[in-house]
Amino acid sequence: LTCTSKEDCQDTCCHLRCAQFECMEGTCNDATYADVVVKPCEAQAKCCTPIEPCCADIAWCKASLECLTVTAWCAAQESEERLLTDIEEPLSAGVLPALDAGK
């Protein structure tokens, strides 16, 4: 087996799973193909799906724009809201949160 270029060697010898591939901007890894093994030169086409344009203020649109499932997006939002509440409640009561509380 002889390679004619670096790319040729990668496509011949260095296959990868779709889960390991980082898709280009505007596309998301498709979990359906996470375990599919591909050549590097085919990964973008076989592992990634385009982000569907969506500008509605609903969870499905916001999740798809961030390449997340609706469940994962909602969990992240809930976590972020809890963090903001933990910071904002003491501030609104006139108390500054301790910066070194963990020490």
Side-chain angles (χ1 to χ4, degrees), residues 35-74:
D35 291 324
V36 173
V37 177
V38 296
K39 295 178 180 182
C41 70
E42 299 171 340
Q44 181 65 36
K46 292 188 176 184
C47 302
C48 307
T49 55
I51 294 174
E52 295 184 34
C54 184
C55 54
D57 194 22
I58 58 173
W60 182 87
C61 288
K62 292 183 177 206
S64 68
L65 293 173
E66 295 180 29
C67 297
L68 296 172
T69 63
V70 172
T71 303
W73 185 85
C74 288

